[in-house]
Amino acid sequence: MYARALANEFARDVRAGLTRAGQKTLSCRYFYDDIGSTLFEAITCLPEYGLTRADARILQLHAANLVARLPRNLVVAELGSGTGSKTRPILEQLQRRQLIVYYPIDVSAAALERCARELSSLGTVVPMEMSYLQGLREVAARRDAGQTLLVLFLGSTIGNFEPEAAIDFLLAVRLCLFPGDVLLLGTDLVKPVEQLLAAYDDPTGVTAAFNLNILGRINRELDADFDLRQFEHVVRYTEEAQRIEMHLRSRLYQIVSVRKADLIVDFVPNETICTEACHKFRAEQIVEIGRLSGFCLQQQWIDCEWPFSENLLVAV
Ligand code: AVJ
């Protein structure tokens, strides 16, 4: 039932994005089928892509300091946990003072399975294969009286939202919380353009494969006939918007059928599909983002090798 609803939603979103006036789009949430999740794991190992290592380094280095600042009797929910590999240091620190109840929330069943397998030695792990807010509302409804909720939103996934949509999303998160609950937010920071372009267009071609895979997924799951060789991976950076964009550019005029979306769509030469926006932040912007969404920034840790910050935000 859930799988059919997802397939219909996928078909609907593909149809909406490819029939849009102006810039054609596909949502980056559809990158993460099993192949896409595996390619993303490979991206996180690339020398050019330091984001995930920076996130993990901060958590490894500051987990004790972070947990020392947190109220007692916590329940932990993670939005977009993936395999949860970065979360272990926090749970290990917490385990020293309480029983662990951890809710990883993700749309990738494969990632959740691995997360549960790898972290269940630390306590109770309750995987939730659903959207971030659906999952968070569920966790908030299940919490016991007197329990404080720690929400983890790591890896700069917040950067995929347009700036206003990011505030709206954090406001929706805030609505699930009580004053005193905590949000740990990972944000990738602005850095030299060359470094950013290399991170999203690595010479090995892993990110290009990750990007092209979204067309492969549409072929597999929606019975389409995209010729992946007739599209190329393109990355752009807009300085004033602090925004990386990933596109797939059509090499020639072509017509594509997406049967399960009841769609026939054509592409002219050099026309692109925008598949992802990754907004970057300035450390000082997080105070305001927090204020606008009902949080107070209590502590910020910045990595020394790759500009990335982990932000401890308390619900007010
Ligand atoms: C998982 C959204 C944080 O924006 O850097 C990596 C996804 N896209 N390479 C990011 C991604 C291309 C990643 N996030």
Side-chain angles (χ1 to χ4, degrees):
M1 182 54 192
Y2 181 56
R4 174 122 37 82
L6 262 187
N8 293 342
E9 193 178 350
F10 186 23
R12 244 195 339 268
D13 289 349
V14 167
R15 187 183 170 82
L18 296 183
T19 55
R20 236 167 135 254
Q23 176 67 63
K24 287 184 168 75
T25 61
L26 286 170
S27 167
C28 58
R29 68 177 281 212
Y30 294 115
F31 280 143
Y32 302 95
D33 64 345
D34 293 355
I35 296 173
S37 294
T38 308
L39 286 166
F40 178 64
E41 284 290 315
I43 288 174
T44 64
C45 306
L46 290 169
E48 296 84 6
Y49 187 85
L51 189 157
T52 308
R53 290 187 296 278
D55 199 7
R57 245 189 324 268
I58 295 173
L59 296 174
Q60 190 68 47
L61 214 55
H62 299 291
N65 178 348
L66 164 73
V67 168
R69 292 164 172 276
L70 299 175
R72 304 238 149 215
N73 195 7
L74 286 170
V75 58
V76 185
E78 182 169 4
L79 312 180
S81 62
T83 59
S85 55
K86 291 175 296 192
T87 315
R88 175 178 283 279
I90 297 178
L91 298 182
E92 282 173 348
Q93 282 296 330
L94 269 179
Q95 195 198 18
R96 294 164 177 237
R97 62 177 212 188
Q98 64 164 86
L99 293 176
I100 296 289
V101 182
Y102 167 58
Y103 295 89
I105 302 164
D106 204 288
V107 291
S108 166
L112 282 173
E113 213 182 289
R114 212 170 120 202
C115 180
R117 210 173 40 241
E118 288 179 11
L119 296 177
S120 51
S121 60
L122 297 170
T124 308
V125 178
V126 188
M128 308 188 96
E129 189 189 343
M130 45 186 85
S131 73
Y132 300 158
L133 290 174
Q134 263 177 321
L136 188 55
R137 289 189 188 111
E138 182 67 32
V139 175
R142 292 186 193 189
R143 76 150 112 190
D144 299 333
Q147 269 186 325
T148 298
L149 193 39
L150 168 63
V151 180
L152 308 175
F153 195 25
L154 309 175
S156 200
T157 303
I158 188 72
N160 282 149
F161 292 90
E162 297 300 323
E164 274 177 39
I167 301 292
D168 291 345
F169 177 76
L170 293 176
L171 273 169
V173 168
R174 176 64 189 81
L175 285 177
C176 300
L177 306 181
F178 295 148
D181 286 338
V182 181
L183 169 66
L184 187 67
L185 181 69
T187 49
D188 197 29
L189 303 177
V190 289
K191 47 188 69 67
V193 179
E194 309 69 44
Q195 193 178 3
L196 280 171
L197 292 176
Y200 291 88
D201 193 11
D202 58 279
T204 318
V206 182
T207 311
F210 173 72
N211 196 7
L212 282 164
N213 176 60
I214 199 169
L215 302 183
R217 182 180 184 178
I218 297 172
N219 284 353
R220 291 186 291 273
E221 297 179 24
L222 300 181
D223 191 14
D225 56 9
F226 276 103
D227 180 353
L228 273 61
R229 296 185 196 291
Q230 297 309 337
F231 287 87
E232 61 182 324
H233 170 67
V234 176
V235 175
R236 299 174 185 158
Y237 183 64
T238 320
E239 196 112 23
E240 60 279 2
Q242 299 169 201
R243 170 199 173 100
I244 277 269
E245 282 181 10
M246 296 210 306
H247 290 251
L248 292 167
R249 181 164 56 202
S250 179
R251 294 180 191 278
L252 72 179
Y253 178 79
Q254 53 190 317
I255 298 176
V256 175
S257 309
V258 185
R259 290 172 200 86
K260 286 195 180 157
D262 194 17
L263 174 68
I264 296 178
V265 57
D266 67 347
F267 297 87
V268 298
N270 297 325
E271 179 180 4
T272 74
I273 308 169
C274 182
T275 53
E276 187 173 36
C278 311
H279 293 84
K280 304 300 168 183
F281 301 85
R282 294 184 188 285
E284 61 277 14
Q285 286 174 322
I286 311 302
V287 177
E288 184 61 7
I289 290 172
R291 195 186 64 73
L292 291 171
S293 47
F295 293 94
C296 172
L297 179 65
Q298 202 186 67
Q299 178 71 29
Q300 196 174 47
W301 294 276
I302 296 180
D303 186 66
C304 49
E305 277 176 48
W306 175 277
F308 185 97
S309 75
E310 213 70 81
N311 312 283
L312 187 61
L313 294 150
V314 177
V316 290

